[in-house]
């Protein structure tokens, strides 16, 4: 059975196509149960994110059409709408691809950590649906092991490479424990949403979303168990903020030096960490002059991000070497599975010979043989039975000049050269 990957991602397909192939979480289990019913499909899992949709299958054919047609039917599309954007991997290529995806080497942001959690979720759903077999289950487990090794042995994920992530990482350096801090995020766009996500994952104590449109602030705050306010209410809440991150489309500053100074007095000059990710700036530059404010702009973070990207690219080279080794390990496991049935049959044959020899030895004891005689009889009988067929086959190999079989026998039985 081959291991196959069929999918598309941010490198091969525009968002217009990617969003049409997404499998919503609530439909994923039923899709898997439907997929596993296709001819020649023995195992299946689906990874579906905003940046990629991939099918992982244990399949008894290399015909892609059965999967392409299934996707078209499942997503109500014409195959020509998405087929040009697909990629296809089998066996060793699939193993390498899954390892690279889990390590963030195939991500839009090199080394990003979220994809590993998404792969674990894909594995969990497939396991609960009962669509994983021995091979895919083992491959997912090895994938997680490889990803952990890459994360441990390289710096692929240690340096932030998005402004939102960089802002949160910087906050973690300034505050030892974010669970005791309050963050105010100004705006409700993609950058603020990403910042809220990172802060939530970092166990922020309290989260307040401020936006010109209250409904948007409320929708975002609800998503992250936060609290929404309008921009007009910001001055009343600013004194509570240990962390302020702003990213709006305002043409004028939202926070001025005077307002921040008032908040600092109310805080008894407890330090505030501020990040202005907006262009034009949301926070007046003069705020940086205040003694208890640590203000960073998007340019400050971008310099760090570029340095970190360089660091990640260097780490990616080492990660690829680790993946090469892990792929070989898994291929070794796969090759060993091909010998499993032979080993089982050989053991069954040996067990049968043992049972027959033991029965005859017991019969000898019942007929009056001494225990010592019965043991000698058992040992000789069992030895003759075990070596009879191999001896005949080796002799026939010599007659027919099958030197390869004779050499294999010497290796198999670890025979020393008597000459």
């Amino acid at each position: 059975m081959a291991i196959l990957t069929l999918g598309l991602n941010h490198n091969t397909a525009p968002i217009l196509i990617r969003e049409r192939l997404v499998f919503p979480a609530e439909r994923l289990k039923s899709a898997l149960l439907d997929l596993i019913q296709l001819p020649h499909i023995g195992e299946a899992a689906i990874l579906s994110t905003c940046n990629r949709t991939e099918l992982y299958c244990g399949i008894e054919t290399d015909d892609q059409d059965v999967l392409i047609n299934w996707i078209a039917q499942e997503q109500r599309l014409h195959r020509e709408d998405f087929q040009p954007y697909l990629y296809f991997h089998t066996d060793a290529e699939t193993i390498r691809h899954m390892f690279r995806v889990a390590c963030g080497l195939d991500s839009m942001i090199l080394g990003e950590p979220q994809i590993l959690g998404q792969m674990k979720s894909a594995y969990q759903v497939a396991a609960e649906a009962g669509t994983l077999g021995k091979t895919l289950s083992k491959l997912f487990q090895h994938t997680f092991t490889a990803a952990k090794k890459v994360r441990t042995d390289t710096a692929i994920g240690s340096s932030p490479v998005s402004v939102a992530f960089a802002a949160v990482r910087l906050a973690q350096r300034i505050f030892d424990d974010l669970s005791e801090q309050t963050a105010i995020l100004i705006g409700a766009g993609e950058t603020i949403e990403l910042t809220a996500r990172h802060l939530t994952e970092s166990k922020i104590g309290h989260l307040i979303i401020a936006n010109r449109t209250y409904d948007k602030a409320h929708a975002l705050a609800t998503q992250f168990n936060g609290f929404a306010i309008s921009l007009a209410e910001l001055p009343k809440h600013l004194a509570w903020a240990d962390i302020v991150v702003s990213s709006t489309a305002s043409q004028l500053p939202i926070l001025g030096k005077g307002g921040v100074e008032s908040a600092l007095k109310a805080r008894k000059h407890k330090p505030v960490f501020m990040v202005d990710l907006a262009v034009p700036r949301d926070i007046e530059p003069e705020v940086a002059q205040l003694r208890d404010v640590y203000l960073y702009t998007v340019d400050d973070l971008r310099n760090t991000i570029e340095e970190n990207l360089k660091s990640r690219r260097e780490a990616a080279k080492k990660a690829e070497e680790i993946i090469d080794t892990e792929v070989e390990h898994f291929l070794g496991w796969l090759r060993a599975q091909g010998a499993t049935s032979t080993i089982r049959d050989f053991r069954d044959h040996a067990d049968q010979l043992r049972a027959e020899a033991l029965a005859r030895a017991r019969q000898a004891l019942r007929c009056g043989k001494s225990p010592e005689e019965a043991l000698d009889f058992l040992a000789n009988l069992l030895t003759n039975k075990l070596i009879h067929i191999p001896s005949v086959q080796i002799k026939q190999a010599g007659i027919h000049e099958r030197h390869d079989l004779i050499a294999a026998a010497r290796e198999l039985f670890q025979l020393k050269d008597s000459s």
Side-chain angles (χ1 to χ4, degrees):
M1 183 172 67
I3 313 171
L4 176 149
T5 299
L6 183 74
L8 49 71
N9 62 22
H10 59 280
N11 290 319
T12 68
I15 190 170
L16 180 65
I17 300 298
R18 298 200 307 273
E19 64 187 5
R20 298 177 71 186
L21 264 72
V22 168
F23 287 85
E26 64 273 12
R27 199 158 58 85
L28 200 52
K29 185 175 180 179
S30 62
L32 282 167
L33 293 173
D34 188 45
L35 176 59
I36 204 73
Q37 297 301 316
L38 295 179
H40 310 298
I41 304 292
E43 307 178 50
I46 299 174
L47 173 65
S48 187
T49 73
C50 58
N51 282 331
R52 71 178 66 243
T53 292
E54 296 181 344
L55 310 184
Y56 308 125
C57 299
I59 188 169
E60 296 174 353
T61 176
D62 59 359
D63 184 9
Q64 308 169 32
D65 283 347
V66 64
L67 293 175
I68 296 173
N69 290 334
W70 178 81
I71 293 173
Q73 180 180 352
E74 186 73 18
Q75 304 292 56
R76 295 180 175 84
L77 298 170
H78 297 293
R79 57 182 289 165
E80 57 268 21
D81 292 341
F82 63 89
Q83 187 171 355
Y85 304 100
L86 294 174
Y87 44 80
F88 178 76
H89 303 302
T90 58
D91 296 333
E93 291 179 351
T94 282
I95 298 165
R96 183 181 302 281
H97 177 76
M98 287 182 66
F99 289 1
R100 295 187 79 254
V101 169
C103 295
L105 295 177
D106 196 52
S107 296
M108 184 178 290
I109 298 175
L110 180 65
E112 60 93 4
Q114 286 81 12
I115 187 62
L116 179 57
Q118 292 164 337
M119 286 200 79
K120 288 182 176 179
S121 295
Y123 165 76
Q124 188 65 38
V125 172
E128 291 173 358
T131 61
L132 293 178
K134 181 178 181 180
T135 302
L136 271 187
S137 183
K138 182 71 173 182
L139 178 53
F140 268 105
Q141 293 300 329
H142 204 124
T143 297
F144 303 147
T145 300
K148 182 179 180 180
K149 186 171 182 60
V150 166
R151 295 277 168 189
T152 301
D153 294 356
T154 77
I156 189 69
S158 62
S159 305
V161 291
S162 73
V163 288
F165 191 38
V168 174
R169 180 60 61 87
L170 196 53
Q172 288 175 314
R173 291 176 182 172
I174 292 174
F175 302 102
D176 291 334
D177 186 2
L178 292 188
S179 66
E180 298 179 358
Q181 313 305 320
T182 295
I184 291 182
L185 306 186
I186 305 172
E190 183 178 344
T191 299
I192 290 297
E193 180 178 352
L194 191 56
T195 304
R197 187 178 306 281
H198 290 315
L199 283 170
T200 302
E201 290 172 354
S202 300
K203 306 292 190 295
I204 187 71
H206 302 282
L207 187 64
I208 300 172
I209 309 291
N211 192 54
R212 198 175 305 278
T213 305
Y214 175 80
D215 288 346
K216 288 184 178 179
H218 179 70
L220 191 57
T222 301
Q223 185 178 345
F224 297 103
N225 197 30
F227 178 69
I229 62 173
S230 67
L231 280 186
E233 299 175 279
L234 184 57
K236 293 189 298 183
H237 293 81
L238 193 58
W240 293 100
D242 304 295
I243 299 167
V244 177
V245 181
S246 187
S247 179
T248 76
S250 175
Q251 296 301 304
L252 296 173
I254 290 171
L255 287 178
K257 184 179 179 182
V260 175
E261 203 163 16
S262 297
L264 284 172
K265 289 179 181 177
R267 289 172 58 81
K268 298 181 180 179
H269 293 277
K270 184 181 177 183
V272 181
F273 169 64
M274 292 186 164
V275 184
D276 189 350
L277 300 178
V279 179
R281 284 180 279 188
D282 284 338
I283 302 173
E284 286 184 349
E286 290 76 15
V287 170
Q289 299 170 4
L290 298 173
R291 179 182 299 178
D292 301 305
V293 173
Y294 299 90
L295 176 61
Y296 294 81
T297 68
V298 68
D299 286 345
D300 296 327
L301 297 183
R302 278 177 180 163
N303 292 335
T304 302
I305 289 168
E306 188 52 44
E307 291 176 6
N308 292 345
L309 267 175
K310 183 179 179 181
S311 172
R312 286 199 179 190
R313 292 187 193 106
E314 290 299 318
K317 295 176 184 177
K318 185 177 180 181
E320 295 286 5
E321 294 174 2
I322 293 173
I323 286 173
D324 286 342
T325 302
E326 294 301 319
V327 168
E328 282 305 311
H329 286 171
F330 190 79
L331 286 173
W333 178 85
L334 270 183
R335 288 190 289 266
Q337 303 315 297
T340 300
S341 61
T342 300
I343 294 170
R344 184 175 58 249
D345 292 344
F346 181 63
R347 291 187 66 89
D348 290 345
H349 176 66
D351 284 342
Q352 183 181 348
L353 296 179
R354 177 191 58 80
E356 292 172 358
L358 188 59
R360 291 184 61 181
R362 285 171 174 162
Q363 180 64 30
L365 282 171
R366 285 193 291 269
C367 292
K369 296 280 187 181
S370 69
E372 185 175 345
E373 288 176 315
L375 282 174
D376 285 341
F377 174 74
L378 173 62
N380 290 330
L381 181 61
L382 188 56
T383 299
N384 289 333
K385 282 181 173 290
L386 286 172
I387 70 174
H388 173 68
I389 293 177
S391 297
V392 170
Q393 295 298 319
I394 292 170
K395 185 176 181 180
Q396 289 296 315
I399 292 171
H400 296 291
E401 296 185 343
R402 290 293 308 277
H403 303 297
D404 58 326
L405 285 182
I406 296 173
R410 297 196 70 89
E411 181 179 352
L412 186 64
F413 297 115
Q414 296 185 346
L415 302 177
K416 295 181 179 179
D417 192 342
S418 57
S419 61

